[in-house]
Amino acid sequence: MMTETTATIDPKEAAHFGTMAADWWDPKGSSAMLHKLNPVRLAYIRAAIDRHWDSDDHGFRPLSGKRALDVGCGAGLLAEPLARLGASVTGLDAAPENIAVAVAHAQGQGLSIDYRATPVEQVGDSGYDLVTSMEVIEHVADPAAFVRALAARLAPDGLMILSTPNRTPMSRLAMITIGESIGGIPKGTHDWAKFITPDELTALLEDAGLEVTDSSGLAFDPARGFTLSANKAINYLLTARHKD
């Protein structure tokens, strides 16, 4: 039974991202950085899916028959690829403006995605095989409650994948000092004090009854762009599942 009723959404954060809705799908617009990050995230997610369900890494629809929940979906940059991988996708976002853009874009792509301007704490259903939340936890009002809500929606044998910036001097330089001035990240997007270290996020997941099974850094290579890396100084991804 779901017992959470209080949303962890920060209204100021929701409003900030709502202003980006109109050009979310423009690779040169206010979400340019997300467009650059998305292929690397997808590569990590695909590898995690194949490991977790022992699926054919050359198959086109490894999520067929599975339900996916993407929390903080924006205008659908991750939700749409998950649908193409075969999942029945539900996408949540705090900004109704983003949901409106997501719905319209998915329809234009011929994709059926259940988009909702609903906090995860108020989602009545659970049992999702895959729960994703990319670059979201650093924007919520109560990270511990947010993680508990994610865990409550995850199926017993499900897979959770999160990504977030690390709280290091390097991330402050890369994502705020440079990123929010010349790097394609809108000013005011990040509060470095709310960034979460891998150890802190691991502890939150463990407190919610999950265990981390894999992690990777997201690094920037001037020649190749964003890549998966052992270096977690700027940004990282974590895979988790319910403890046995």
Side-chain angles (χ1 to χ4, degrees):
M1 178 181 294
M2 303 306 166
T3 58
E4 311 96 329
T5 57
T6 302
T8 56
I9 289 170
D10 183 328
K12 290 181 180 178
E13 296 277 7
H16 172 79
F17 286 100
T19 63
M20 298 162 55
D23 66 347
W24 200 289
W25 281 97
D26 180 359
K28 296 182 179 179
S30 59
S31 297
M33 190 63 67
L34 295 180
H35 283 269
K36 293 182 176 73
L37 278 170
N38 217 37
V40 188
R41 287 179 183 164
L42 284 167
Y44 181 86
I45 290 169
R46 178 60 198 262
I49 289 168
D50 291 339
R51 282 195 308 270
H52 188 71
W53 284 292
D54 194 24
S55 53
D56 176 5
D57 59 6
H58 297 293
F60 292 110
R61 294 173 65 82
L63 292 175
S64 290
K66 293 182 170 58
R67 300 168 67 225
L69 178 68
D70 185 30
V71 181
C73 63
L77 286 187
L78 180 60
E80 288 196 7
L82 293 178
R84 290 193 176 94
L85 290 175
S88 174
V89 179
T90 298
L92 309 180
D93 200 84
E97 301 94 333
N98 290 340
I99 293 297
V101 171
V103 168
H105 195 273
Q107 289 174 345
Q109 298 294 309
L111 296 171
S112 177
I113 298 174
D114 178 10
Y115 283 118
R116 311 176 193 175
T118 305
V120 63
E121 296 83 2
Q122 295 174 15
V123 171
D125 51 336
S126 61
Y128 287 92
D129 301 289
L130 175 66
V131 173
T132 58
S133 190
M134 306 284 112
E135 315 299 307
V136 176
I137 192 169
E138 71 272 20
H139 299 291
V140 304
D142 186 340
F146 180 71
V147 168
R148 289 195 299 270
L150 296 178
R153 273 82 194 165
L154 186 66
D157 60 348
L159 180 69
M160 184 185 296
I161 303 175
L162 308 178
S163 73
T164 192
N166 198 351
R167 192 177 66 257
T168 65
M170 183 63 73
S171 70
R172 186 201 293 267
L173 175 66
M175 303 191 71
I176 300 177
T177 306
I178 297 174
E180 293 192 16
S181 58
I182 61 172
I185 301 174
K187 288 185 182 297
T189 295
H190 295 113
D191 178 352
W192 184 79
K194 294 177 71 174
F195 287 5
I196 297 174
T197 70
D199 286 347
E200 290 167 347
L201 184 52
T202 296
L204 292 179
L205 289 162
E206 289 179 347
D207 287 346
L210 305 180
E211 60 180 353
V212 173
T213 57
D214 187 73
S215 64
S216 175
L218 271 170
F220 183 77
D221 182 307
R224 295 185 295 157
F226 287 101
T227 62
L228 295 175
S229 167
N231 186 347
K232 301 182 178 73
I234 297 177
N235 201 303
Y236 62 97
L237 297 120
L238 289 181
T239 299
R241 66 185 182 192
H242 286 291
K243 295 176 183 175
D244 294 331

